[in-house]
Amino acid sequence: MPVLTRLIPSPVVVDIRPGALDDLAGLLADQRISGSGRLSIAISGGSGRALRERFAPVLPGADWFPVADGTIDSAVRLADDIKGSRRYDAVVGLGGGKIIDVAKYAAARVGLPMVAVATNLSHDGICSPVSTLDNDNGRGSYGVPTPIAMVVDLDVIRDAPVRFVRSGIGDAVSNISAIADWELSHRINGEPVDGLAAAMARTAGEAVLRHPGGVGEDEFLSVLAEALVLSGIAMSISGDTRPSSGACHEISHAFDLLHPKRAALHGEQVGLGAAFAMRLRGAHEESQLFTEVLRRHGLPVLPEEIGFSVDEFVRAVAYAPQTRPGRFTILEHLDLSTDQIRDAYSDYASTISS
Ligand SMILES: [Zn+2]
């Protein structure tokens, strides 16, 4: 008789609340994380300095590694630096989305568990098994283990640049569009949908989409942070980015690849991509709800609001399927010509009040 349910790779600690950083040293001293206190902590070169000053006295066994940027080169360099130093129990990424991505990749490379301490909520990579890094081709996604612990201090999030928090909203609500793509592929191609991963990712997206609060409120920030964590776990469950990445993300990846120097924040691009994809699949009311919610939070809903012309948007949508070969979304399904994309865009834009 089969009795085993599946085990989900997930952090041993998730701590999301105001003041969470006040207990960071105690959390890291957990025997499952770092009983010896020997930690390698990645921080940004800029705002990381203040974090280091705050935490160095309570983390005497830690070494600090400033990271220059969110490139794969920086991640490899960090791994080499960590390997060339002492023995550590874990790698801690203490900072924004880029620091977390770099620390996740470096930790995977040196075979150490990774603790994510997020100082903003810019994307769902804060607790996912994926590291997104800039490389010679623009930007790449690399598979890594899920973080062993996850800390979000809402007092810190409220002080973070609001644009980075808004970006997380776009990434969270885009789950709804990504799941619609997954279900479409199931109907058309018979691709299996992981029901648990879909449930977690969709519920996370809906919770953010339908929450009446805003980025200045703890209640909303809690839901947003939890939604991003659950999105990451959903990816661990399905073993790929399917629950959180569909046409919305293909469009964003196209912006990243075609315009690497001009790309906007990930969540800004995928939020816009999701609103447009909902329209493409004929979900007009949902598309309208997306644009209203994105607008309410100060996120872009039109390409010119992130510095791209309509022509550039149309080209990005046309190019998007090439960014994730093998992934079937509404874009691959409709296989639109450039003229058809332009018409669909006019349709979409006409529903948005200026
Ligand atoms: Zn994303």
Side-chain angles (χ1 to χ4, degrees), residues 123-142:
H123 59 62
D124 63 21
I126 55 176
C127 197
S128 75
V130 181
S131 165
T132 303
L133 297 168
D134 294 333
N135 58 27
D136 292 341
N137 298 319
R139 209 166 274 175
S141 299
Y142 306 87

Side-chain angles (χ1 to χ4, degrees), residues 12-78:
V12 295
V13 180
V14 173
D15 192 6
I16 300 169
R17 65 194 159 91
L21 278 186
D22 294 339
D23 301 327
L24 181 63
L27 182 146
L28 293 172
D30 186 315
Q31 290 301 320
R32 297 167 298 178
I33 301 173
S34 178
S36 79
R38 285 192 298 268
L39 292 160
S40 47
I41 304 185
I43 48 168
S44 77
S47 56
R49 216 168 299 135
L51 292 165
R52 179 177 180 169
E53 275 166 28
R54 175 176 172 187
F55 290 106
V58 292
L59 298 170
D63 289 331
W64 299 79
F65 297 86
V67 172
D69 51 32
T71 61
I72 184 141
D73 290 346
S74 282
V76 171
R77 202 170 310 125
L78 175 63

Side-chain angles (χ1 to χ4, degrees), residues 166-248:
R166 288 176 179 147
S167 173
I169 298 171
D171 210 13
V173 300
S174 78
N175 286 2
I176 297 163
S177 177
I179 302 288
D181 282 325
W182 203 0
E183 290 173 336
L184 173 75
S185 180
H186 176 69
R187 282 197 303 279
I188 305 290
N189 302 323
E191 179 184 343
V193 170
D194 188 308
L196 178 60
M200 283 174 91
R202 175 159 36 213
T203 303
E206 291 282 355
V208 173
L209 185 73
R210 301 187 189 272
H211 197 293
V215 290
E217 298 162 45
D218 278 358
E219 292 78 14
F220 178 77
L221 291 176
S222 291
V223 168
L224 176 59
E226 288 168 357
L228 296 175
V229 169
L230 290 178
S231 301
I233 308 287
M235 290 184 246
S236 294
I237 293 171
S238 69
D240 55 26
T241 59
R242 208 32 159 146
S244 300
S245 166
C248 47

Side-chain angles (χ1 to χ4, degrees), residues 149-181:
M150 165 80 232
V151 182
V152 175
D153 186 336
L154 299 182
D155 289 337
V156 173
I157 300 301
R158 248 183 287 103
D159 289 342
V162 68
R163 193 178 164 205
F164 289 100
V165 180
R166 288 176 179 147
S167 173
I169 298 171
D171 210 13
V173 300
S174 78
N175 286 2
I176 297 163
S177 177
I179 302 288
D181 282 325

Side-chain angles (χ1 to χ4, degrees), residues 181 184 242 245-247 250 327-334:
D181 282 325
L184 173 75
R242 208 32 159 146
S245 166
E250 290 186 338
R327 180 150 297 182
F328 189 84
T329 75
I330 189 67
L331 297 176
E332 288 77 3
H333 181 56
L334 297 177

